[in-house]
């Protein structure tokens, strides 16, 4: 997955997202992040979040995507073309990398990278609007 993301969106730098501490705004899960943003929550707290995050869950791997296209989450527009087990508003899940449609995932990642490069505020507007 790392190689696919690096090739499709080289502008999104990889880092370890440690999750937010209990009692603070944001999600607690640890994940590998690609691209980093900071957004303010309704309470005024600043939260760090990846543009693309890859998280190991108990039974599957989830990929979170924080950009939008035409003010709507981008992931559902790729539903059925990723080889995913399930798809949500801003994420999709799979059990094994070999199950994925690499071309579909690569297209999603490349578009995400282009959107973020041309409009770094895109995911911030999305995260603040949730």
């Amino acid at each position: 997955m790392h190689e696919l993301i690096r090739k499709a969106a080289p502008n999104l730098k990889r880092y370890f997202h440690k999750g937010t501490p209990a009692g603070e705004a944001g999600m607690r899960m640890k994940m590998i992040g690609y691209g980093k943003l900071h957004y303010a929550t309704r309470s005024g707290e600043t939260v760090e979040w990846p543009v693309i995050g890859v998280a190991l869950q108990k039974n599957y791997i989830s990929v979170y995507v924080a950009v939008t296209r035409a003010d709507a989450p981008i992931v559902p527009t790729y539903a059925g073309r990723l080889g995913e087990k399930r798809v949500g508003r801003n994420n999709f899940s799979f059990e094994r990398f070999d199950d994925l449609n690499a071309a579909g995932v690569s297209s999603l990642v490349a578009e995400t990278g282009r959107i973020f490069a041309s409009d770094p505020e895109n995911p911030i507007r999305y995260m603040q609007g949730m």
Side-chain angles (χ1 to χ4, degrees):
M1 189 71 174
H2 171 71
E3 290 177 20
L4 183 148
I5 293 171
R6 295 301 308 140
K7 186 175 181 182
N11 60 312
L12 299 177
K13 303 301 179 209
R14 182 176 70 166
Y15 75 102
F16 180 71
H17 180 76
K18 63 185 186 238
T20 52
E24 293 183 21
M27 295 181 77
R28 315 269 176 271
M29 73 181 89
K30 296 176 175 92
M31 66 180 85
I32 303 299
Y34 293 86
K36 191 182 290 190
L37 61 110
H38 294 87
Y39 68 95
T41 64
R42 290 184 182 131
S43 68
E45 291 180 74
T46 300
V47 176
E48 178 182 285
W49 189 251
V51 175
I52 296 175
V54 180
L56 179 60
Q57 309 292 344
K58 182 177 179 180
N59 297 313
Y60 48 87
I61 298 168
S62 293
V63 178
Y64 295 88
V65 180
V67 301
T68 62
R69 184 193 316 142
D71 297 324
I74 194 172
V75 173
T77 67
Y78 282 86
R81 297 187 289 157
L82 303 170
E84 73 277 7
K85 182 174 178 101
R86 69 174 210 54
V87 67
R89 263 177 59 98
N90 68 340
N91 63 77
F92 67 94
S93 300
F94 61 97
E95 290 180 3
R96 295 183 341 222
F97 181 78
D98 292 342
D99 295 338
L100 292 176
N101 173 351
V105 175
S106 185
S107 292
L108 169 62
V109 169
E111 184 175 4
T112 298
R114 285 191 303 271
I115 290 170
F116 184 66
S118 68
D119 180 11
E121 297 295 311
N122 176 296
I124 296 168
R125 289 190 303 274
Y126 170 68
M127 298 303 284
Q128 288 178 328
M130 289 177 47

